[in-house]
Amino acid sequence: MLNFNYCNPTRYVYGRGEYRNIGYLLQPIAHKVLLHYGGGSVKRSGLYDTVVQSLQAAGVEYVELGGVKPNPSVELVRQGIELARDAGVEAVLAVGGGSVIDSAKAIALGTPHSGDIWKLYTREEQQHATPLPVAVILTLPAAGSENSPNTVLTHEQSQRKLGYGHDSLRPVLSIVSPELFLTLPPEQMAYGACDMLCHIFERYFTNTTGTELTDALGEATMRTIMQQAAILRRNPQNEHAWGQLALAGTIAHNNLLGLGRAQSWACHGLEHELSAAYDVPHGAGLAVIVPAYFEHVWRANPGIFAQWATNVMGVTPSRDTEGVVQEGIARLRAWYRELGLPQTMQELGIPAEADFGAMARAAVSVYGSRLGTDHLPGVMPVNTAAAESIYRACCR
Ligand code: NZQ
Ligand code: ZN
């Protein structure tokens, strides 16, 4: 296990109806907030009205900005920064899924920042002031942004999707009420479950040794995600399953499961280029990339892949390591199919003639430049040629 330094100060409030207390929970944090939300689901469900009533009852003033799109854009963030500055808000309240939370984090980061917010994402600027506090009411368990220090934004003109991470961006408060997920369409549940599972893959498939505890915690969380998502596929109104899935999704990405391990993020690096160029949902893109990535790299560390196949995918242990790993990957593909997730680039709407070479170069350069390498990290380094062949394997 490697050295680590972990700080996770988010107040995490779980349970039916807890979002009704948002006003009182915000009182010690801010007198005035920017209420940030997406394209309309919060209004259709009535959640918006409940939140506004709670803020008013607690005497917390607010200005609002809706309209966050999936794969949130830097343009709306710029509007949010102006609004937050003009109104003098002291915190940003995100009511939504990962896109709304990431947009809220960017506004919180940009409001006290004197430079251009996008330049923090491109790393052209490195320094920033302390962001405003971010509070969250989660409406979609998926990205884990409710407890992560990360935000991912899309710059539509340049078709770039980049992340930024800083401990100060972990929300100060996150409220998770499982009944808010009952209005989600089945494909969003599937994208979400696929994303959270991949957040563990990126940490679990490592060459670091001596990680027995986080191995076991990760395996339990992966099994929970797979089981609860299958239950929800059959019965989307199972509130208990939503609660289990949401808690697993938070743990999957708050880095508890990554402590003391080298991490990969290769699948995310490859997927973000698909979302940036073709605006596909993040979880759908991951369902296509992950099996091809596993096929490409598993031989670099057969032990960890065989361990996953037996402890998570329920494959009977055997000396035939290749058979065990291949059966694990086949069962993962079957789970994606059961959830209705895409399996190929074509099913994602990405043509076989797409410029995979350019996407491979972009994926490797984004991650490589941050780490000072010419490859994506993981059990096996993935250079530009390997990245392109993984993309092409997804076309078959
Ligand atoms: O916009 P509205 O109308 O609210 O509709 C949303 C949106 O269309 C809808 N939705 C959300 N809650 C709902 C609901 N519909 C009905 N009932 C509800 N209760 O769901 C759609 C998708 O929402 P979105 O927020 O885009 O999905 P998700 O939570 O999967 O977030 C995806 C974004 O998170 C980023 C992804 O790259 C992507 O941009 N990620 C962020 C991470 C982080 N900050 O740590 C890590 C992840 O790896 C990921 O990259
Ligand atoms: Zn993700």
Side-chain angles (χ1 to χ4, degrees):
M1 181 164 71
L2 308 174
N3 294 11
F4 63 85
N5 179 334
Y6 184 62
C7 177
N8 184 351
T10 303
R11 177 178 297 282
Y12 192 82
V13 179
Y14 174 85
R16 179 163 249 279
E18 292 293 346
Y19 58 92
R20 295 180 187 280
N21 301 322
I22 184 63
Y24 295 103
L25 288 165
L26 278 172
Q27 268 177 343
I29 299 168
H31 297 101
K32 190 172 192 180
V33 300
L34 171 63
L35 168 59
H36 201 35
Y37 52 90
S41 71
V42 293
K43 292 207 166 159
R44 285 193 297 279
S45 67
L47 176 59
Y48 171 88
D49 292 335
T50 308
V51 169
V52 164
Q53 280 160 17
S54 177
L55 295 176
Q56 287 168 342
V60 175
E61 292 177 46
Y62 70 94
V63 290
E64 65 176 76
L65 180 64
V68 180
K69 295 182 299 187
N71 297 323
S73 75
V74 72
E75 281 73 24
L76 191 73
V77 165
R78 291 203 169 104
Q79 278 182 43
I81 291 169
E82 259 181 55
L83 181 58
R85 284 179 185 157
D86 291 348
V89 306
E90 293 163 332
V92 184
L93 170 60
V95 184
S99 295
V100 173
I101 304 169
D102 285 3
S103 183
K105 287 177 177 175
I107 293 169
L109 181 63
T111 301
H113 180 58
S114 53
D116 176 10
I117 180 71
W118 181 242
K119 288 189 174 166
L120 290 170
Y121 289 71
T122 60
R123 305 300 192 270
E124 289 165 84
E125 290 178 15
Q126 310 277 348
Q127 300 292 326
H128 59 78
T130 305
L132 299 181
V134 174
V136 171
I137 298 175
L138 187 69
T139 66
L140 166 49
S145 190
E146 68 277 7
N147 194 201
S148 84
N150 308 104
T151 146
V152 185
L153 278 191
T154 297
H155 189 270
E156 287 171 344
Q157 283 150 334
S158 62
Q159 290 195 333
R160 296 188 80 193
K161 181 172 181 176
L162 298 175
Y164 184 77
H166 193 272
D167 258 344
S168 61
L169 288 171
R170 284 195 203 262
V172 292
L173 165 70
S174 279
I175 303 178
V176 177
S177 294
E179 73 273 26
L180 296 182
F181 310 140
L182 300 178
T183 52
L184 279 163
E187 68 275 12
Q188 290 298 341
M189 185 282 292
Y191 300 153
C194 180
D195 189 19
M196 45 180 93
L197 192 64
C198 190
H199 292 159
I200 308 177
F201 291 160
E202 304 281 20
R203 297 173 163 99
Y204 180 86
F205 291 106
T206 175
N207 293 328
T208 313
T209 54
T211 53
E212 289 83 351
L213 177 62
T214 48
D215 281 6
L217 293 171
E219 287 161 6
T221 315
M222 287 189 265
R223 286 193 302 269
T224 303
I225 291 166
M226 297 187 76
Q227 287 158 2
Q228 302 304 317
I231 291 170
L232 287 167
R233 184 71 185 171
R234 292 190 293 275
N235 178 11
Q237 298 302 305
N238 186 325
E239 205 175 299
H240 169 80
W242 277 117
Q244 290 296 299
L245 187 72
L247 184 55
T250 300
I251 291 169
H253 198 39
N254 69 8
N255 211 29
L256 174 69
L257 306 179
L259 296 181
R261 314 172 76 101
Q263 299 186 16
S264 171
W265 299 99
C267 291
H268 274 68
L270 294 167
E271 194 295 308
H272 282 171
E273 296 308 317
L274 304 183
S275 292
Y278 291 92
D279 202 21
V280 299
H282 174 57
L286 288 172
V288 172
I289 294 287
V290 165
Y293 171 79
F294 280 7
E295 298 277 8
H296 195 91
V297 305
W298 75 266
R299 282 184 183 79
N301 188 342
I304 191 73
F305 277 90
Q307 179 182 315
W308 164 78
T310 51
N311 292 354
V312 180
M313 307 309 292
V315 181
T316 307
S318 132
R319 286 205 192 136
D320 173 17
T321 305
E322 173 153 14
V324 168
V325 173
Q326 289 300 341
E327 178 59 23
I329 297 173
R331 290 184 188 193
L332 178 65
R333 286 188 197 273
W335 180 76
Y336 287 153
R337 251 194 312 279
E338 188 186 341
L339 262 53
L341 288 160
Q343 305 272 299
T344 62
M345 289 290 182
Q346 285 77 357
E347 285 174 30
L348 265 184
I350 300 178
E353 313 74 54
D355 192 347
F356 292 118
M359 283 195 264
R361 283 191 296 280
V364 171
S365 81
V366 166
Y367 277 65
S369 64
R370 286 174 193 178
L371 301 167
T373 61
D374 60 356
H375 58 259
L376 296 164
V379 291
M380 186 186 113
V382 169
N383 62 18
T384 306
E388 185 174 345
S389 84
I390 292 169
Y391 282 136
R392 293 200 183 283
C394 300
C395 295
R396 287 197 286 273

